Amino acid sequence: MLKTEVTVAPDIGFYLLGLLNGAQRRTFLPAITMHNFQVNATTTGKNPIIPIIKAEEGRIRIVGTGIFDKEKLIAKVGIRDTRSLVMLRGLKCNGFIPFVIEKDGEPVDKGTVAVSNTRKVRVEENDGRITFLITIFLKGNLLEHSSPEPVDETRLQEIEDTVSHTIASDCNRLIRKMQEDIGVDFIDISKYARAKWGNDIREQIKDNDFIRNVRIVVRVKTSITHLGQTR
């Protein structure tokens, strides 16, 4: 990687710095300093994540995210799961989400929205089981769509519903992977249980079975502003 030649920066060091510093302003990718990595690695219930960078055919790209249990790399996820990870973890980013609206099994419109994300987490206990309620808020603009029909309130609602459904489905898939395969809280929600119940739950959180056994419910609320149409 360090031998890769770049033409848009004085050297590869400047290029990598710009790539990582601007990641969260352009797309749904994590950016982290070594200081933050060490803090996450040594805090109960927190686990670091870092972007995976790959040099290939003269290009350098961020291709996914590495997931750590303290200071040990235990899993990697690709770009699409990274988008879900960023939203579930509550890292504020800006990025583009494509959508396809179908009716009777046929696509009637497709396009792209540009959104920013925020997260709200609520934790409660019912019948001895802890439940985390994660609400992801997406807010942004419609950039383009392919249908010749104008975007009225009905179509705008369809776009919002489609984006919400896509993101919720992706997030639920990643949560299943976290609970069934990886077994580590890499979406940073254990802290809400620790804040609510304090030392009563501290030892449970140290056990990786904690995140496997909780219930996690994801809701996505999308708000899109109509800026016109392009074809």
Side-chain angles (χ1 to χ4, degrees), residues 28-168:
F28 300 103
L29 291 169
I32 187 170
T33 65
M34 288 305 299
H35 171 73
N36 289 334
F37 179 92
Q38 289 296 329
V39 169
N40 287 339
T42 56
T43 301
T44 301
K46 295 181 71 70
N47 296 284
I49 59 172
I50 62 171
I52 299 173
I53 307 172
K54 186 176 183 179
E56 188 175 52
E57 298 179 353
R59 295 178 58 202
I60 295 178
R61 298 180 296 124
I62 299 176
V63 297
T65 302
I67 296 169
F68 286 74
D69 182 359
K70 303 310 177 186
E71 296 181 342
K72 180 181 179 182
L73 177 66
I74 60 171
K76 300 176 183 178
V77 297
I79 287 295
R80 183 151 182 165
D81 279 342
T82 291
R83 182 177 70 183
S84 302
L85 189 160
V86 164
M87 293 183 182
L88 288 167
R89 196 173 174 103
L91 301 177
K92 294 183 179 181
C93 296
N94 298 279
F96 305 99
I97 300 177
F99 65 85
V100 178
I101 297 174
E102 294 186 352
K103 291 187 178 179
D104 300 323
E106 297 293 331
V108 296
D109 202 356
K110 60 182 179 180
T112 307
V113 297
V115 298
S116 58
N117 66 291
T118 56
R119 175 189 81 161
K120 181 179 179 181
V121 179
R122 183 161 59 92
V123 59
E124 57 189 34
E125 184 177 3
N126 294 308
D127 300 324
R129 189 180 186 189
I130 293 175
T131 297
F132 290 93
L133 304 172
I134 303 175
T135 304
I136 296 170
F137 299 93
L138 303 177
K139 185 176 182 180
N141 303 315
L142 173 63
L143 293 186
E144 59 179 0
H145 76 110
S146 62
S147 173
E149 300 177 2
V151 176
D152 56 14
E153 290 300 320
T154 299
R155 179 50 52 88
L156 198 61
Q157 184 64 57
E158 290 174 338
I159 293 171
E160 292 174 343
D161 291 345
T162 299
V163 171
S164 293
H165 176 77
T166 298
I167 297 303

Side-chain angles (χ1 to χ4, degrees), residues 15-28:
Y15 179 82
L16 290 174
L17 189 61
L19 179 68
L20 294 172
N21 281 344
Q24 290 179 311
R25 295 192 299 271
R26 298 188 303 269
T27 188
F28 300 103

